[in-house]
Amino acid sequence: MSSKYRTITVTPLSPALGGEISGVDIAAGISDEQFAEMRRAFIDYGVIFLRDQDITPDQHVEFARRWGEINVNRFFHPVDAHPLIAEVRKEPKQKANIGSSWHTDHSYDQVPAMGSILYAREVPSVGGDTLFASMYAAYAALSDGMKQMLGSMNAEHSSRHAFGEVAYVETDLEDLGGRLGNTASATQDSVHPVVIRHPLSGKPALYVNGDFTVRFEGWSKAESQPLLDFLYAHASQHEFTCRFRWQQGSMAMWDNRATQHLALNDYHGERRVMHRITLEGVALGPATA
Ligand code: SIN
């Protein structure tokens, strides 16, 4: 339990990351001081959680706007009558879920999204937890030699293989029918430092992820893949993670530049419906600059 906050209480979920905030009721209104402390907790913990929030989609949008500009995801189905909110839904008859492997949202964009605010509307009786991993902890645990090499490297990221037509043909995305779409818009390519300086904390963080990173700049895919695979396995070690168990009315807000996340797909036959608002970020620079 941290005492550096006056208007909220933050309980860490694990030593690596994640803080559950209590003392906040979004529907009743958040004071400027509370908001400033939530923002500080977001920077300190990488991902923050709230429970028992009873909010409408409009209140979700209003809360998100307090953090910054909203980024509308190109591929997710929007919530009916709320085009700024993406729906993350799995129906009882569907097998695949959205986000089942470790990833960082929107790293394929040249200016990647800051993070997302995910709100639980309907959850399975058990299962459907979300795992988060700290990319600060992952970076810090690398050897000095690896840090030095990665510090001067960039990586290429893309949406093409993940959300384009090929993803529907070659992977299980067909089972996501009606929940992801717009394959023709999957044309984003970007290059980012492998180790970024976090724009809010100033700390170095590992910035490659299994869903969207394609290769290291100047390296072939065959050369890149063994080192990328090592980094993905390294970054998802249990001691760098925390795990959040959802209830209806729970909310998570994560920072894509400091974390990766994975939505567990262990609740077949039950429905899970989440509302996600993504926030605009800033261009990312290297930790070495
Ligand atoms: C996502 O990757 O945005 C989905 C996370 C979740 O459903 O828990």
Side-chain angles (χ1 to χ4, degrees), residues 183-238:
T183 51
S185 296
T187 57
Q188 294 72 41
D189 300 301
S190 64
V191 176
H192 304 293
V194 173
V195 183
I196 58 164
R197 180 153 311 281
H198 191 281
L200 298 175
S201 71
K203 294 196 289 189
L206 188 63
Y207 195 75
V208 287
N209 72 93
D211 275 7
F212 304 123
T213 306
V214 179
R215 62 178 176 179
F216 297 112
E217 188 180 49
W219 294 33
S220 70
K221 283 191 183 179
E223 289 167 338
S224 302
Q225 205 56 55
L227 179 53
L228 286 171
D229 287 342
F230 164 79
L231 292 173
Y232 301 151
H234 169 82
S236 59
Q237 289 177 72
H238 296 171

Side-chain angles (χ1 to χ4, degrees), residues 6-8 29-40 66:
R6 218 181 60 81
T7 61
I8 61 173
I30 300 174
S31 69
D32 287 345
E33 189 178 357
Q34 268 186 322
F35 184 73
E37 292 199 334
M38 289 178 78
R39 193 170 180 282
R40 194 141 50 78
R66 207 142 168 196

Side-chain angles (χ1 to χ4, degrees), residues 84-155:
L84 299 178
I85 306 179
E87 189 172 70
V88 179
R89 174 186 288 268
K90 185 182 173 209
E91 288 292 341
K93 63 181 182 332
Q94 292 177 305
K95 285 280 174 258
N97 72 337
I98 291 172
S100 62
S101 45
W102 284 107
H103 65 283
T104 305
D105 298 332
H106 293 221
S107 70
Y108 47 78
D109 279 327
Q110 290 183 14
V111 179
M114 167 174 101
S116 286
I117 304 175
L118 189 70
Y119 178 64
R121 294 234 160 247
E122 191 172 339
V123 295
S125 53
V126 65
D129 296 356
T130 306
L131 273 56
F132 296 87
S134 166
M135 292 306 107
Y136 297 137
Y139 175 74
L142 292 169
S143 66
D144 288 345
M146 181 66 88
K147 283 179 182 161
Q148 198 177 350
M149 180 176 77
L150 297 180
S152 61
M153 290 168 63
N154 291 316

